[in-house]
Amino acid sequence: MNKVLFLFFSVFLFTVNISAQKQIEFARKLKKQFPKDKVIITNSKVVVEFDYNSKYGIFAREKIEENFMTLEKNIEFIYPIFYSDDVEIDDFDTGPHSRVKKDEYYTSNGIFHDDIKVKYSHFKIPFFSGESHLKAELKYTNVRYIPNVYFSKPYRILEKEIQFVIPEYMDIDLILLNTENYDVIISELFEKKNRIVTYKIKNLKSMSKDEELPGKSYLYPHIFIHVKSYTSDGKKIKVFETTADLYNWYSDLVSETEYENETEELEALVNSLIKPDLTDIEKIQRIFYWVQDNIRYIAFEDGLAGFQPASCQKVLNNRYGDCKGMANLTKEMLVIAGFDARLAWLGTRRIAYDYSVPSLAVDNHMICALLYNNEILYLDATEKYSKLGEYAERIQNRNVLIQNGDSYLLETIPESAPDQNKQNYTMNLTLGEDMLIEGDLVVELASESRAQLMNLMSSIPEKEWEKAIKYYLRSGNDLVSVTDVKLPDLSRDQKYEFSGNLSFTDKISTFDNEAYLYLDPFTFFSGYKLDEDREFALWFSYKKDIELNISLKIPDEWEIVSLPESFTVDNEEFYFSTNTYFDNNDINYTMSGKIPKAVISGYNITTWNDAIVQLIQNYEQPIILRKK
């Protein structure tokens, strides 16, 4: 008997050892193939099942199974699952090396995210080729809130399967997006009165860690779930079959809020802001700017169930609100003032969809639309320090769904020209006999470039403003002295201009009778060379239009030996130009930089990098002077 047991355990241990060795060899092979990866998902399966019961009506279950393998030692990572009040987590099981599980409301950058919660597990795997897994089951009690399903994850996936089980009484479209670079195997069968659709992809890249990316709906393969309708007791019940269905659902939510709106306190506020002698535009500005300045924007634009605005008195009393609450307050105040103001829904720039396919995935933002003088003005009070009639890049050229009683208006928010965000820098300098360069710098900012700095100024104590402007004027260079600072006026409708006197010696070096001068203190865009292996576009927060003009008066005893060559690159997505010339004892330097679409496409990255390298080389060319 002992010999039999010994033989059994010997075979068992030998088998385990062989299996472990194969696992290590497999991990080594993967590490060789993907040397930058630290964790890999060997297989991932998601099953989405739709069903009906008397408690929820139509609902959905999402079952997730994923297996991880480490390709380095001592690897830690966190696996989060986001959900909301309309989503229940029925199962959350993690395998070996899972140290912590947490379930809490989600915050980011100190901002509380309404009803969004996160449940996550902290994995800590000490050895190479270590394995673990996660299993989770989510229940979407309101099928309207089911999100689109993505194939990609933060880690590479060797094999991915997504399956949908759809009862025959449901009308659902599954729209496959961003799969051009993958071979997707799709199968469909009918079983037990269900339509079962399965998608399989192998070797999925991990989600990019690059900064300033487009929204993920532009980038990664996923399935857009369009729940159109279902049949119950022989009756067809629409969910979001048409845009009108989506609008009606929104309208019902808004009607509940409008019923709760109390206007007595609000009327007193509006009457204190507007006076009879003001023009209509001035009245609109007073109200719009008051909401911007006095209501703190605290929410995030991607709340799953956050489609119902808070009542105007709640936002007013709290002095904070999300985009919906701020839009509702703005609308109500304008209505009290006698204007035709309405709520409007839209998806910001980071969302790739429009209203051609109605879904909650299309929207992530709410603003106020004002019908005035045969045009529509869009008022987004979450954009602090924005002027009436100026629109942030994130909402420009976006479809917008506007209240119109039982129907709706579908419009497009105008796109602004790049020069709306003009940044002008003008320097008049003098080179002294002691090689000290001094003079004044005047900066003028407009639209989003202005609002960006105004937001920064408002976030710090007023006593720190001069210090902040000095830092800006000297481009963070501690070797530059700044005096006589003129602070900007924080009024939106005034010219946003500030200035100071600069003096510095670090931009000039002398050797015998020659001096080498580097005149540009800003070197705009020099830090924008991208990684060579970057795959996706670079998105700027807004269109760029920068102009720098420098005039340097030099003493009579100096003459020009050489000036940097002029440089110009003109691409459909970017423009750079520098020019240095001598005129009437003045050295003049101009630099112009434009990003007219606020984007550098993926196909253009190599060309962009080449241009940045050339621009830097141009910045590094000195002006050479010689004593006569």
Side-chain angles (χ1 to χ4, degrees):
M1 183 66 180
N2 289 338
K3 289 182 178 181
V4 173
L5 285 174
F6 176 77
L7 180 61
F8 171 79
F9 282 114
S10 296
V11 171
F12 174 75
L13 292 173
F14 177 76
T15 304
V16 170
N17 186 54
I18 291 294
S19 177
Q21 189 60 38
K22 286 183 177 179
Q23 182 174 309
I24 292 172
E25 290 301 320
F26 180 55
R28 286 173 178 166
K29 182 180 178 181
L30 291 175
K31 187 64 178 177
K32 186 175 181 179
Q33 188 176 0
F34 311 115
K36 293 183 179 180
D37 290 3
K38 297 180 180 181
V39 179
I40 208 162
I41 299 175
T42 53
N43 54 74
S44 171
K45 184 174 183 178
V46 176
V47 179
V48 180
E49 299 175 340
F50 295 90
D51 207 344
Y52 177 88
N53 65 26
S54 57
K55 180 179 179 181
Y56 301 121
I58 289 291
F59 67 98
R61 292 189 189 89
E62 181 181 13
K63 299 176 182 178
I64 303 167
E65 262 187 70
E66 298 196 323
N67 295 303
F68 310 99
M69 177 179 282
T70 58
L71 303 185
E72 290 185 7
K73 294 180 180 179
N74 298 317
I75 295 299
E76 292 187 54
F77 61 96
I78 289 174
Y79 191 104
I81 290 180
F82 297 96
Y83 63 106
S84 72
D85 290 339
D86 287 277
V87 182
E88 300 173 1
I89 295 185
D90 291 339
D91 184 29
F92 190 79
D93 173 55
T94 55
H97 315 294
S98 174
R99 304 300 184 190
V100 182
K101 294 179 185 177
K102 287 193 176 182
D103 194 356
E104 57 190 38
Y105 282 93
Y106 179 55
T107 61
S108 175
N109 297 323
I111 295 175
F112 179 72
H113 287 232
D114 264 352
D115 63 341
I116 305 178
K117 289 176 277 190
V118 59
K119 191 180 191 80
Y120 63 88
S121 180
H122 180 191
F123 290 88
K124 186 175 182 180
I125 303 178
F127 47 86
F128 178 80
S129 77
E131 291 186 307
S132 194
H133 69 264
L134 179 137
K135 294 181 180 179
E137 182 174 333
L138 289 74
K139 182 188 292 180
Y140 297 89
T141 57
N142 187 331
V143 75
R144 292 177 176 84
Y145 296 135
I146 189 166
N148 298 330
V149 182
Y150 280 77
F151 289 90
S152 303
K153 292 282 186 178
Y155 312 106
R156 186 181 299 276
I157 303 174
L158 297 185
E159 295 183 3
K160 178 81 176 196
E161 178 179 323
I162 300 175
Q163 185 177 88
F164 295 88
V165 181
I166 304 170
E168 62 180 2
Y169 55 80
M170 290 198 70
D171 186 5
I172 295 179
D173 283 345
L174 302 173
I175 304 169
L176 193 62
L177 298 170
N178 301 335
T179 57
E180 297 82 5
N181 298 323
Y182 292 97
D183 293 324
V184 185
I185 299 173
I186 306 173
S187 63
E188 185 169 346
L189 59 89
F190 292 86
E191 184 179 276
K192 297 180 180 179
K193 297 184 178 182
N194 290 317
R195 178 165 68 105
I196 302 174
V197 186
T198 305
Y199 303 83
K200 294 182 180 180
I201 296 183
K202 291 187 176 181
N203 195 18
L204 277 155
K205 295 179 182 179
S206 60
M207 289 180 165
S208 176
K209 295 181 177 63
D210 290 328
E211 296 180 348
E212 297 177 278
L213 288 168
K216 69 176 184 177
S217 55
Y218 291 91
L219 307 179
Y220 306 117
H222 65 283
I223 299 165
F224 187 110
I225 305 171
H226 179 200
V227 182
K228 298 166 75 175
S229 65
Y230 64 94
T231 302
S232 178
D233 296 329
K235 182 180 179 181
K236 179 180 177 179
I237 300 173
K238 291 184 177 183
V239 182
F240 293 140
E241 190 171 59
T242 66
T243 304
D245 298 328
L246 179 65
Y247 172 74
N248 290 335
W249 188 75
Y250 285 158
S251 187
D252 287 343
L253 292 179
V254 167
S255 295
E256 295 176 21
T257 298
E258 289 176 336
Y259 179 77
E260 295 174 356
N261 284 340
E262 297 175 3
T263 60
E264 184 176 343
E265 183 179 355
L266 212 53
E267 287 174 359
L269 172 61
V270 171
N271 290 332
S272 71
L273 293 174
I274 62 174
K275 304 299 179 185
D277 59 334
L278 295 177
T279 66
D280 283 351
I281 292 298
E282 288 172 333
K283 292 176 182 178
I284 295 166
Q285 288 173 329
R286 287 279 185 95
I287 291 171
F288 181 38
Y289 298 163
W290 187 93
V291 178
Q292 285 188 43
D293 295 342
N294 293 277
I295 304 299
R296 183 177 176 232
Y297 176 49
I298 65 162
F300 187 58
E301 63 184 27
D302 279 339
L304 289 175
F307 292 93
Q308 186 171 34
S311 65
C312 58
Q313 70 270 13
K314 183 176 180 180
V315 176
L316 181 65
N317 292 336
N318 290 337
R319 286 295 196 270
Y320 64 78
D322 63 5
C323 64
K324 301 173 295 297
M326 295 177 77
N328 182 42
L329 178 61
T330 305
K331 185 210 74 167
E332 285 295 326
M333 291 177 71
L334 288 167
V335 168
I336 290 170
F339 295 101
D340 184 1
R342 310 177 186 188
L343 295 179
W345 298 261
L346 71 147
T348 58
R349 179 189 185 211
R350 65 188 299 273
I351 289 182
Y353 323 123
D354 59 32
Y355 288 101
S356 60
V357 182
S359 163
L360 298 187
V362 173
D363 298 315
N364 65 347
H365 198 40
M366 181 183 281
I367 61 175
C368 173
L370 177 65
L371 279 66
Y372 176 76
N373 201 21
N374 297 319
E375 64 175 319
I376 301 176
L377 297 174
Y378 299 97
L379 283 65
D380 184 356
T382 69
E383 292 289 344
K384 298 292 186 184
Y385 301 108
S386 62
K387 290 172 63 174
L388 183 66
E390 290 183 350
Y391 307 127
E393 185 70 33
R394 67 176 184 145
I395 69 170
Q396 290 179 30
N397 205 31
R398 301 299 299 175
N399 277 173
V400 57
L401 192 71
I402 304 173
Q403 275 183 314
N404 194 39
D406 293 335
S407 61
Y408 61 88
L409 301 176
L410 187 58
E411 302 290 341
T412 301
I413 297 177
E415 184 171 11
S416 301
D419 61 4
Q420 176 178 286
N421 303 317
K422 191 77 173 182
Q423 298 172 242
N424 275 320
Y425 301 80
T426 304
M427 303 180 72
N428 290 295
L429 306 174
T430 301
L431 175 63
E433 294 183 3
D434 56 358
M435 295 292 101
L436 178 70
I437 299 174
E438 56 186 345
D440 60 82
L441 166 60
V442 179
V443 180
E444 185 178 348
L445 306 179
S447 195
E448 291 201 69
S449 65
R450 179 201 70 242
Q452 188 178 61
L453 188 60
M454 289 179 76
N455 270 293
L456 173 64
M457 296 287 285
S458 67
S459 69
I460 60 178
E462 189 172 347
K463 64 182 181 180
E464 300 289 331
W465 287 2
E466 182 171 336
K467 181 179 178 181
I469 290 297
K470 281 185 175 181
Y471 184 88
Y472 187 102
L473 291 170
R474 68 171 187 264
S475 294
N477 186 351
D478 291 334
L479 298 177
V480 177
S481 173
V482 182
T483 59
D484 297 329
V485 172
K486 179 184 177 184
L487 294 175
D489 188 334
L490 290 186
S491 170
R492 298 166 183 79
D493 297 307
Q494 297 298 319
K495 193 175 186 181
Y496 194 74
E497 183 180 283
F498 52 96
S499 61
N501 291 330
L502 280 59
S503 60
F504 51 93
T505 59
D506 68 309
K507 293 295 182 180
I508 189 167
S509 302
T510 57
F511 300 93
D512 297 328
N513 290 327
E514 289 189 338
Y516 295 80
L517 171 64
Y518 300 89
L519 201 52
D520 190 335
F522 294 102
T523 62
F524 292 111
F525 300 103
S526 59
Y528 269 96
K529 187 174 184 295
L530 305 176
D531 289 340
E532 297 295 337
D533 58 354
R534 182 176 176 125
E535 183 179 0
F536 300 118
L538 168 68
W539 269 20
F540 289 86
S541 56
Y542 53 85
K543 302 178 184 74
K544 303 287 185 179
D545 189 343
I546 298 173
E547 294 286 343
L548 170 62
N549 293 279
I550 301 176
S551 175
L552 174 68
K553 186 173 292 295
I554 62 173
D556 291 337
E557 63 266 25
W558 290 91
E559 63 181 357
I560 303 293
V561 175
S562 67
L563 298 173
E565 296 180 359
S566 296
F567 165 73
T568 299
V569 58
D570 193 354
N571 183 280
E572 62 179 357
E573 293 186 329
F574 57 90
Y575 173 85
F576 301 134
S577 175
T578 66
N579 185 32
T580 309
Y581 60 95
F582 187 66
D583 182 35
N584 292 329
N585 237 37
D586 288 352
I587 297 174
N588 296 284
Y589 170 83
T590 62
M591 187 277 167
S592 177
K594 304 176 192 293
I595 314 292
K597 301 177 183 177
V599 62
I600 307 300
S601 300
Y603 70 81
N604 224 355
I605 287 174
T606 300
T607 305
W608 165 266
N609 278 343
D610 290 344
I612 294 297
V613 169
Q614 294 175 57
L615 182 63
I616 293 170
Q617 290 172 347
N618 187 265
Y619 287 148
E620 292 173 346
Q621 292 182 34
I623 298 168
I624 303 178
L625 308 176
R626 181 188 297 133
K627 277 196 173 182
K628 296 178 181 177

